[in-house]
Amino acid sequence: MKISKLSIVLLGVALVAPFVMYPVLLMKILCFALFASAFNLLLGFVGLLSFGHAIFLGTGGYVTGYLVMNSGLSPLLGILAGTAAAAALGAVYGKLSVKREGIYFAMVTLALAQLMFFVFLQAPFTGGENGLQGIPRGFLFGFIDLSDNLNMYYFVLAIFLFGFWVINRTIHSPFGQVLKAIRENEPRATSLGYNVNDYKWAAFVISAALSGLAGSTKTLVFQLASLTDVHWHMSGEVVLMTLVGGMGTIFGPLVGAAAIVGLQNFLSGGELGNYVHIIMGLIFIVCVLAFRSGIVGEIQKIVKRNFS
Amino acid sequence: MAEFLGINLFGLFGQLLVGLINGSFYALLSLGLAIIFGLLKIINFAQGAIYMLGAFLAYLALQYLGISYWAALIVVPLVVGLLGILMERFLIRPIANEDHLYSLLLTFGVALVLQGLFTHLFGSSGMSYPIPEAFSGGIKLPFMYLPNYRAWIVVASLVVCVGTWWMIEKTKLGAYLRAGTENPALMQAFGINVPLMVTLTFGFGVALAGFAGVMAAPVYSVSPDMGSNLLIVVFAIVVIGGMGSIGGAIITGLGMGIVEGLTKYFYPEASNTVIFLVMVIVLLIKPAGLFGKEA
């Protein structure tokens, strides 16, 4: 794979960033950037709008949180277990939801996510409304203390880079090309002999697993797993991040996640804190009406127009 | 006394009634969604928020303007329908030619704004709306006590649902609507103002949700998130029934309400999830939905 100059610059920025900005905020951005990228794999590259993706984020978080807290699992194994749980749930939910298309797909994923929301609400091991609190970050490989924010930051960055690499490999693989073909013209892909639903399902599982990875990591960062992560609001937020950044672009979800998390952080500090949902809603409306390509999409258009 | 085969009939009928009432609201909302979907091919994510808006408007009208329940039952759907018309005309129509997923996202944005606005203005705790005087009290039946207002909900929603079904399936106006669902371009060629019809249809579908909101105000507490939770259940119901037929939407809505009521009696832990589980089963057996036409 070719590594562009842009990627090297971005990596440089990411390595220096914690010395300039608050590391916890940066880690939050990285987790959501991974979550949004995983979501974008489905929406941007297969054309499937999942409205229940928060459930994979939250499942990863709860499973990691519970195991690290109660079974004394190491952080790495905890994250692996959380990711595996999200992948397993994604395998089941994917099988069910790829049976329907378009708007129905969105409704099915939302309803399935709500089903699991109630399970987490009532199950004895999730702590109900309080969630799981005080989850220890532990020691990576037994000797790197993750309670140090800087150590944790580089750990999160490594996880993010791994997830982002998986998504990139998927998009640029022959498998990814078939996904794009399905997005562009599904009957044609079928007539070429591809089992469209199997491809959609595989993409769904990858997306769910990486969402779970993001959720597991986020749980360790904040030492908390709660119902917020599995609520439909969260599913809406990841749609918004992808939309704002530019769906179907590689870097769009990163930019979108940084923009939305940054905005939320900014709003919650000031007197506009009560207006967060209204502002999110307005951004949704404005983006859909006038700004459908998103930030990265618009930049790409300008670059294309002027430099090629 | 009220026992039969070890089942407490008093409790069972009580839960059945609650189920029937929930089912009435499911039917009204999914009917609105189905009508809008028929012509516009979009799902209105704001339907739940508009139901909430209907309940709040009724509450505010009573509180500040002294408008009675009966007047609100007429006025609120009109106001809400008008808002729907404006929404279709200025927000949805400009992107009508884009992928329908965009209009779904747009209505989701509208829902967030409405819900956020009311949460900001009134907080997230609920307000109570008095039961109209004509319906205070209730009837004692052999196996249960039937509050008058609850009976009214079931009757009124049935009347509205059946009336809507009759209008769409049996009248000339309905024939236009059905033809527009099949082939809007041809309708336009026959000299029928399709864009106007689309706008009015959207207004009507939304007004149904407003009507449901007014009906709900005296039985549920009026709160900003009353709509969003309901809407997700209604989505599951729409997937179960499929949006192919108007009658199907009504029957599935009522039926699922009853299923939920029965679950509440026999296995209360699953009462929140049973409708979603039914959806899973339907997806496995008949993915197009019970009344769905498409493959």
Side-chain angles (χ1 to χ4, degrees), chain A residues 164-227:
Chain A
F164 196 63
W165 174 77
V166 170
I167 291 168
N168 248 306
R169 280 308 304 140
T170 309
I171 291 168
H172 293 112
S173 68
F175 171 74
Q177 297 302 322
V178 178
L179 292 182
K180 276 180 245 175
I182 292 171
R183 179 189 66 187
E184 295 302 325
N185 193 338
E186 192 174 322
R188 183 104 195 264
T190 309
S191 75
L192 288 172
Y194 292 108
N195 191 337
V196 169
N197 278 359
D198 284 355
Y199 277 88
K200 283 183 183 172
W201 176 74
F204 195 98
V205 176
I206 296 173
S207 175
L210 291 172
S211 301
L213 177 64
S216 299
T217 314
K218 182 170 160 299
T219 287
L220 285 186
V221 171
F222 290 97
Q223 304 180 283
L224 170 78
S226 73
L227 287 172

Side-chain angles (χ1 to χ4, degrees), chain B residues 181-241:
Chain B
T181 309
E182 291 289 325
N183 193 337
L186 196 61
M187 284 280 287
Q188 187 95 16
F190 283 155
I192 287 156
N193 190 342
V194 174
L196 180 70
M197 205 166 77
V198 166
T199 307
L200 292 179
T201 305
F202 192 84
F204 182 74
V206 161
L208 277 177
F211 174 78
V214 183
M215 296 284 292
V219 275
Y220 302 131
S221 77
V222 179
S223 73
D225 60 358
M226 66 190 284
S228 53
N229 297 329
L230 180 67
L231 186 70
I232 300 178
V233 176
V234 170
F235 278 173
I237 289 171
V238 164
V239 174
I240 292 169

